[in-house]
């Protein structure tokens, strides 16, 4: 039986890819922990947005994987996509830097911090942990989410069609380290994290947005329209 937390995934093609892990004891323990955290609250994102990335980017339509770390931990920011915020919300510092690099790379200045238009084009915006307690970054670290998202990344890495993995910062690179040391059809792009603490170490100037599109076109796929 699938633990209650993961029941929404049964409505997507992700369920068939992840079913092997969802039926484990690890999944039961994670579900129990997160359900209790939601009862105690507040926890972000809100429960109905927990699997936004999976709902908006079906497994079969994933073309690019961007790996974040923790959801935003302040009210109104997190909505289930890494680095994204709902419309009308002030851009957090890391997102500001992402948009600065996008402008420097392709001359694009998005009109909103909501990255749903990217997700709907096959940009899978995955956080390493899918939940966080309000005001307490990394509060749900090492409680089971990492095992779940490791399995998600593995299922994507096993695909034969070329994907692009965009790994900003040491945490995402460590999570996907196995991809850096194996031959695969995928393109692996790495750079410093866009946080103001590290963006100057190589995030600015990485030109990942144009590199993604160059690879997609080379692979016979449609480029991502980064505008919105």
């Amino acid at each position: 039986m699938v633990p209650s937390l993961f029941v929404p995934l049964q409505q997507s093609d992700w369920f068939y890819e992840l079913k092997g892990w969802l039926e484990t004891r690890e999944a039961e323990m994670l579900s129990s922990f997160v359900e209790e955290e939601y009862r105690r609250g507040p926890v972000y994102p809100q429960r109905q947005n927990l699997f936004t990335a999976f709902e908006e980017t079906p497994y079969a339509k994933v073309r690019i994987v961007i790996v974040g770390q923790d959801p935003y931990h302040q009210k109104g920011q997190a909505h289930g996509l890494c680095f994204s915020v709902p419309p009308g919300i002030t851009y957090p510092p890391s997102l500001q830097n992402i948009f600065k690099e996008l402008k420097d790379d392709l001359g694009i200045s998005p009109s909103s911090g909501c990255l749903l238009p990217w997700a709907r084009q096959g940009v899978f915006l995955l956080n390493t942990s899918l939940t966080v307690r309000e005001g307490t970054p990394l509060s749900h670290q090492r409680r089971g989410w990492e095992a779940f998202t490791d399995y998600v990344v593995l299922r994507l890495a096993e695909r034969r069609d070329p994907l692009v993995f965009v790994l900003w910062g040491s945490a995402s690179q460590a999570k996907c380290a196995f991809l850096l040391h194996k031959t695969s059809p995928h393109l692996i792009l790495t750079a410093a994290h866009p946080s103001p603490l590290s963006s100057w170490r190589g995030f600015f100037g990485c030109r990942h947005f144009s590199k993604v599109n160059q690879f997609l076109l080379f692979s016979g796929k449609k480029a991502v329209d980064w505008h919105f």
Side-chain angles (χ1 to χ4, degrees), residues 86-107:
I89 299 299
T90 301
Y91 306 163
S94 291
L95 186 58
Q96 290 181 33
N97 286 339
I98 290 171
F99 286 169
K100 183 179 186 301
E101 174 60 23
L102 178 59
K103 183 176 183 180
D104 290 346
D105 187 5
L106 294 174

Side-chain angles (χ1 to χ4, degrees), residues 1 3 6 22-33:
M1 177 178 290
F6 297 100
L22 296 176
E23 294 178 342
T24 65
R25 176 61 178 159
E26 278 184 300
E28 291 180 11
M29 293 173 64
L30 174 60
S31 178
S32 296
F33 166 74

Side-chain angles (χ1 to χ4, degrees), residues 102-130:
L102 178 59
K103 183 176 183 180
D104 290 346
D105 187 5
L106 294 174
I108 295 171
S109 296
S111 59
S112 168
C114 179
L115 304 184
L116 277 171
W118 293 0
R120 290 167 179 165
Q121 294 180 74
V123 182
F124 185 52
L125 298 162
L126 177 69
N127 272 316
T128 296
S129 294
L130 268 59

Side-chain angles (χ1 to χ4, degrees), residues 168-185:
W168 293 329
S170 57
S172 64
Q173 291 162 27
K175 186 171 191 65
C176 301
F178 72 98
L179 287 169
L180 302 173
H181 304 290
K182 64 179 290 188
T183 301
S184 80

Side-chain angles (χ1 to χ4, degrees), residues 2-12 14-15 18 21-22 27 30-31 34-35 38 44-59 71 78-82 116 119 124-127 129-131 145 148-149 152:
V2 176
S4 58
L5 185 73
F6 297 100
V7 166
L9 288 176
Q10 292 179 320
Q11 306 303 314
S12 76
W14 279 103
F15 178 73
L18 305 178
W21 190 88
L22 296 176
L30 174 60
S31 178
V34 176
E35 295 280 15
Y38 271 116
Y44 303 127
Q46 293 184 357
R47 179 66 180 267
Q48 66 267 27
N49 295 325
L50 179 57
F51 295 111
T52 300
F54 298 83
E55 294 163 357
E56 297 293 342
T57 313
Y59 177 83
H79 67 135
L81 303 172
C82 72
L116 277 171
F124 185 52
L125 298 162
L126 177 69
N127 272 316
S129 294
L130 268 59
T131 55
W145 278 127
F148 170 68
T149 52
V152 170

Side-chain angles (χ1 to χ4, degrees), residues 138-149:
L138 304 179
S139 51
H140 289 178
Q141 192 177 45
R142 299 188 182 92
R143 301 308 298 255
W145 278 127
E146 291 87 352
F148 170 68
T149 52

